[in-house]
Amino acid sequence: NIDTDTQWSYWSGIREFEQKYHAYLQGQIGNPDGEDKPNKKYYDPRACMRSAEESTVKRLAQCFDDLRCLNVCGRGPPDTPENVLGPRRGG
């Protein structure tokens, strides 16, 4: 069930983030790098959400592969974008 798998993968990403940075998530200041070191980049909710999203993307890729629905619309893998800004002109 893809719904259950993605719910678990999202939770798993948060859980793995907490395990990895547990020592940095115990207070605003002070961690293994020093008593006066800030932890803002670890307890910022966007950090663990990013980990959850990355975990979910990985799981969805596995689901798509398992269901054999990669590149089935005849489009193939995406091309390199050509409509991006190049080097600045006149500089």
Side-chain angles (χ1 to χ4, degrees):
N1 181 320
I2 291 176
D3 183 49
T4 303
D5 290 350
T6 54
Q7 289 172 357
W8 180 259
S9 67
Y10 199 86
W11 160 244
S12 183
I14 293 171
R15 182 176 46 86
E16 290 167 6
F17 181 87
E18 195 283 330
Q19 287 174 343
K20 184 175 181 180
Y21 297 111
H22 181 80
Y24 296 84
L25 298 170
Q26 302 310 302
Q28 288 182 304
I29 305 289
N31 60 50
D33 299 331
E35 288 184 18
D36 60 342
K37 298 290 184 180
N39 296 316
K40 183 170 177 22
K41 69 180 180 180
Y42 302 103
Y43 68 77
D44 182 338
R46 294 172 292 187
C48 69
M49 300 296 278
R50 179 69 176 155
S51 179
E53 291 166 353
E54 289 170 351
S55 177
T56 301
V57 166
K58 245 165 88 173
R59 182 60 182 110
L60 284 171
Q62 181 183 345
C63 288
F64 298 153
D65 189 45
D66 292 346
L67 295 170
R68 298 185 188 140
C69 61
L70 291 172
N71 304 321
V72 295
C73 292
R75 302 195 69 193
D79 295 331
T80 303
E82 296 177 12
N83 62 340
V84 295
L85 297 174
R88 298 189 107 188
R89 295 187 177 143

